[in-house]
């Protein structure tokens, strides 16, 4: 089952989280997103990426009900994999814009903060925003408009 949709438009890859109503993150989503990012990294026709979610959520974060049955080692493995994903995203060699189409909570917020910039009320041609995203000591200014 595919939880990541990719659409290419004029050299820009629109990568959409598409898992259920709230785009919750689990091991399959993390692995599939990483695989798609790796494919897009090597595609010389892709100039930039837009990461977004389907529906009214960017991402609600970790799929907590699924993790309730995990043993400590299983959850530790998931956290390591997720940490590797957002580190990879933070260091990604192409510009990545988080298009925050809705609620961006916990792990979803961590993915958004790993992007180069973030915006709300977006369309593929431009990102509009007036927010600053902050978590603990990490803060990223969000420009008012990013043109692609």
């Amino acid at each position: 089952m595919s939880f990541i949709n990719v659409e290419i438009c004029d050299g820009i890859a629109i990568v959409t989280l598409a898992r259920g109503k709230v785009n919750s993150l689990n091991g399959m989503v993390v692995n599939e997103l990483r695989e798609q990012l790796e494919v897009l990294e090597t595609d010389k026709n892709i100039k930039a990426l837009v990461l977004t979610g389907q529906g009214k959520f960017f991402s609600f974060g970790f799929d907590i009900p699924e993790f309730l049955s995990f043993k400590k080692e299983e959850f530790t493995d998931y956290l390591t994999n997720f940490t590797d994903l957002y580190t990879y995203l933070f260091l990604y060699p192409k510009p990545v814009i988080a298009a925050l189409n809705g609620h961006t909570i916990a792990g979803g917020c961590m993915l958004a903060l790993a992007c180069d910039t973030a915006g709300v009320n977006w369309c593929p041609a431009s990102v509009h925003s007036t927010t600053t995203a902050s978590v603990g000591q990490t803060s990223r200014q969000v420009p008012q408009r990013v043109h692609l």
Side-chain angles (χ1 to χ4, degrees), residues 6 11-12 14 18 21 27 37 39 43 45 57 59 63 70 74-75 82 88 106 108 111 115 124 126 132 148:
V6 178
I12 297 169
I14 301 170
K21 189 174 180 181
L37 291 172
V39 168
D43 188 335
N45 295 317
F57 287 81
S59 175
D63 188 343
F70 276 34
E74 291 174 301
F75 189 63
F82 180 75
Y88 176 66
L111 286 181
C115 295
S126 65
T132 300
L148 302 177

Side-chain angles (χ1 to χ4, degrees), residues 76-137:
T76 300
D77 289 344
Y78 170 77
L79 288 178
T80 300
N81 197 22
F82 180 75
T83 301
D84 290 345
L85 171 65
Y86 74 73
T87 302
Y88 176 66
L89 188 58
F90 184 78
L91 299 172
Y92 202 72
K94 296 179 182 184
V96 182
I97 298 167
L100 307 177
N101 56 301
H103 303 289
T104 306
I105 301 167
C109 184
M110 293 173 74
L111 286 181
L113 286 171
C115 295
D116 296 302
T117 191
V120 295
N121 299 328
W122 77 287
C123 68
S126 65
V127 176
H128 308 269
S129 180
T130 57
T131 62
T132 300
S134 300
V135 173
Q137 297 294 335

Side-chain angles (χ1 to χ4, degrees), residues 16-34:
T16 305
L17 302 171
R19 182 168 183 256
K21 189 174 180 181
V22 298
N23 304 315
S24 59
L25 305 173
N26 68 1
M28 290 183 291
V29 173
V30 168
N31 291 336
E32 189 178 342
L33 181 56
R34 175 71 184 242

